[in-house]
Amino acid sequence: MLKYMVIYGVSTNIAEFEGLEMPPLPKCPSHIHRYSVIWKDFDRGLYNFLVKYIYVPSIHLFEQSYVTKRIHPELKKLCSSILTFSYIYIWHGISPNVRIWAIFNCIGITMERFGSYLKKIMSSEEIHHMVWDFILEPILTVPLAAMSILNSSVFLCNREAAVVFTQRFWNTWQQNYTIPILFCLTHVAVAFRTLPSFLQKLKKR
């Protein structure tokens, strides 16, 4: 993370010295447990570019096409996500490791979109949002946290490191301490993200 702070920080300072408006620096991924949040908060410039020039235009294209007009909006978003991560695959370099990394990211984003849809359904049944945020979401995102570590191993190291992590995860899962650790990770990440807004609501009361 320190390497990225230096790389992004030096280039951002130079650009701001020249009078350019730059996006915020990357946030530390240690308290980020969702794929969508890491894409928004880590490389803001790349995220803004992808949304403006790939994701949103592809959705408009699907909406205007005669063939895809009858397709469900969520399926159109899925197709736009696939196009976006296909571009990311090319952007980061066409290699087997990057391809695996991009596919896992696309799967993670899709699973989160399904979770958001599930949250809306459960909220309509008057289940409090804080119950979801502090109990259900940390539990449901434990597999995403494990997949994120596996994904980062492939992208930053190699597939052999990912295989080692998978073997260690399976062995320690049987010993019943890896999943509780991942739950603590996701719970802290959710609390870090939602606690400020929760405290503001309490002050208003």
Side-chain angles (χ1 to χ4, degrees), residues 152-167:
S152 300
S153 301
V154 175
F155 182 67
L156 299 175
C157 299
N158 48 48
R159 281 175 285 181
E160 288 74 16
V163 171
V164 170
F165 169 77
T166 304
Q167 293 173 345

Side-chain angles (χ1 to χ4, degrees), residues 22-162:
M22 298 298 292
L25 293 176
K27 290 185 178 180
C28 180
S30 61
H31 55 74
I32 298 176
H33 70 296
R34 298 179 61 174
Y35 279 87
S36 56
V37 178
I38 192 69
W39 276 103
K40 290 178 183 177
D41 291 345
F42 191 78
D43 193 335
R44 303 286 185 93
L46 178 60
Y47 171 79
N48 294 335
F49 174 84
L50 294 172
V51 171
K52 184 176 181 179
Y53 295 106
I54 307 294
Y55 185 75
V56 174
S58 61
I59 288 181
H60 292 330
L61 180 64
F62 289 134
E63 290 177 348
Q64 296 172 0
S65 175
Y66 175 78
V67 179
T68 58
K69 277 185 177 180
R70 297 183 179 180
I71 297 178
H72 193 277
E74 292 298 327
L75 185 57
K76 294 177 183 178
K77 292 180 181 180
L78 174 60
C79 295
S80 297
S81 296
I82 293 174
L83 287 176
T84 302
F85 281 103
S86 298
Y87 177 84
I88 292 173
Y89 166 54
I90 298 173
W91 171 269
H92 282 85
I94 301 176
S95 67
N97 289 350
V98 174
R99 181 171 62 250
I100 296 172
W101 173 75
I103 290 173
F104 271 104
N105 273 276
C106 188
I107 293 174
I109 293 289
T110 303
M111 293 174 65
E112 287 182 13
R113 184 173 291 122
F114 175 76
S116 299
Y117 178 73
L118 183 63
K119 181 179 180 179
K120 291 180 181 179
I121 296 176
M122 299 183 72
S123 298
S124 63
E125 298 176 359
E126 299 182 355
I127 294 181
H128 203 280
H129 283 279
M130 299 308 296
V131 175
W132 174 277
D133 289 337
F134 286 99
I135 298 177
L136 294 179
E137 183 174 340
I139 294 174
L140 295 175
T141 52
V142 164
L144 288 177
M147 190 171 71
S148 177
I149 298 173
L150 174 64
N151 199 17
S152 300
S153 301
V154 175
F155 182 67
L156 299 175
C157 299
N158 48 48
R159 281 175 285 181
E160 288 74 16

Side-chain angles (χ1 to χ4, degrees), residues 7-23:
I7 294 174
Y8 283 88
V10 171
S11 58
T12 297
N13 288 331
I14 294 175
E16 289 179 346
F17 179 78
E18 295 292 335
L20 299 176
E21 184 178 353
M22 298 298 292

